[in-house]
Each structure stands twice: as C-alpha cells, then as structure tokens.
Amino acid sequence: MTLNSSFLQIAATIGMIFIALSAIFIRMKAANRPITKRKIIIPPLGMSTGFMMFIVPQTHIPILWAIGAFLIGWFIFSYPLIRSTKFEKRNGEVFVTSSKSFMFILLGLLVVRLLLHEFIQNYITVVQTGALFFILAFGMLLHWRLYMLRHYNETFGAEESTTRS
C-alpha cells in the first residue's frame, strides 16, 4: 500500500463516518416532520445522481460485482429498515416513527466496509470499493423507500384522494 492509497483510504473512512453520522442526524430530525409521497421519493432520486461517478474509469467494477452489491443492499441491508419502519397519524398528518435500526444499519455498513477493506484491497482499489458500497447503499435505500411508498399508499392513499375531492 502506497502513501497515496493510505491517505485515500483514511479520507474515505473519515468521509464514510461523516456521511453516516449526518444521515443519522438528518433522519432523527425528519422524525419530527410529517412525511409525504414526495419526501419518500426524493432521497433515492437524489442519491441516483451518484451513479455519475461511473463516468470516471477508475470507478469501473465488474457488472456481476455491481449486481451482487445491489442485491445484498436490496435483500439484506434494507430488511431491518423495512421491518422497523412504521407510520403513525398525528393531528391529521402522517409521521414515520423513529427507528434505531437505521443508525445500526448505517454503522453496520461502515463496519462491513472497514472489515472487508483488507480483503477487498487485494482485488480492487479504494475508489472501486467506494463505488461498490455506493451501489450496495443505493439498493438498500431504493428497496426501503419503495416499501415506504407502497405502505404509505396502502394506508393513507385512500384518505389522501378523498380529502382532495
């Protein structure tokens, strides 16, 4: 490992910790605000812009690895979030109840990344590792938000359409 890749690894780890803590903080604040369809849909749309990173050749990974990372995020990391996401109606508005599992999922993803780095660095670069974990996180977020949207529509969709008429 060269000095440059060591610095990149440290910077990536610090960045990942900062992003995880920011997401936890934002999620905790969002629990005090009503949820809408728009607020459910926007995070995956916003995160999808991260796929622009694949324009840079250094981020390219084998397609099967990308599919595997996405499926791990979709089926494994999203499951605790889906199981713990509940809606409640207060004063005519819908809120997502606070979930401690969100914090643990983000921290778990960080721990998995750190633990796997020593193994993964033998096969791919730090930048490719970041790309792989981005795809994993996107799969997790997309599945969770699609579940939230479906659950929101099933539970409150009929009420929403009758209040508009």
Side-chain angles (χ1 to χ4, degrees):
M1 184 183 280
T2 66
L3 179 61
N4 193 21
S5 66
S6 294
F7 175 75
L8 191 56
Q9 174 59 31
I10 291 167
T13 301
I14 291 170
M16 185 90 155
I17 290 169
F18 177 75
I19 290 169
L21 293 176
S22 297
I24 291 166
F25 177 73
I26 289 167
R27 186 69 223 131
M28 287 172 26
K29 285 185 74 169
N32 298 325
R33 296 187 191 115
I35 191 81
T36 62
K37 286 182 185 181
R38 182 177 176 195
K39 288 181 181 179
I40 293 171
I41 294 169
I42 287 176
L45 291 177
M47 189 176 179
S48 69
T49 62
F51 283 102
M52 295 295 288
M53 80 172 88
F54 292 104
I55 291 172
V56 178
Q58 291 85 349
T59 62
H60 294 181
I61 55 174
I63 190 72
L64 289 178
W65 293 9
I67 292 169
F70 182 85
L71 292 176
I72 289 169
W74 184 275
F75 288 110
I76 296 173
F77 281 95
S78 67
Y79 182 74
L81 293 173
I82 289 170
R83 294 285 298 158
S84 64
T85 299
K86 307 281 185 264
F87 294 111
E88 65 182 11
K89 197 163 190 179
R90 288 184 256 151
N91 301 325
E93 296 181 304
V94 180
F95 291 82
V96 176
T97 58
S98 296
S99 169
K100 291 181 182 172
S101 69
F102 184 76
M103 176 180 62
F104 291 118
I105 291 295
L106 287 176
L107 293 175
L109 187 59
L110 176 62
V111 169
V112 167
R113 182 192 178 280
L114 294 173
L115 291 174
L116 287 177
H117 176 71
E118 288 304 313
F119 174 74
I120 290 174
Q121 78 177 358
N122 294 321
Y123 303 99
I124 61 177
T125 66
V126 173
V127 176
Q128 290 172 319
T129 303
L132 201 57
F133 280 92
F134 169 82
I135 293 170
L136 187 147
F138 184 77
M140 173 189 75
L141 179 71
L142 183 62
H143 190 198
W144 178 43
R145 291 301 177 134
L146 288 173
Y147 163 80
M148 285 177 70
L149 184 61
R150 189 182 79 232
H151 185 61
Y152 182 92
N153 284 336
E154 288 172 355
T155 308
F156 305 104
E159 292 176 26
E160 203 174 79
S161 63
T162 57
T163 56
R164 286 188 199 162
S165 353

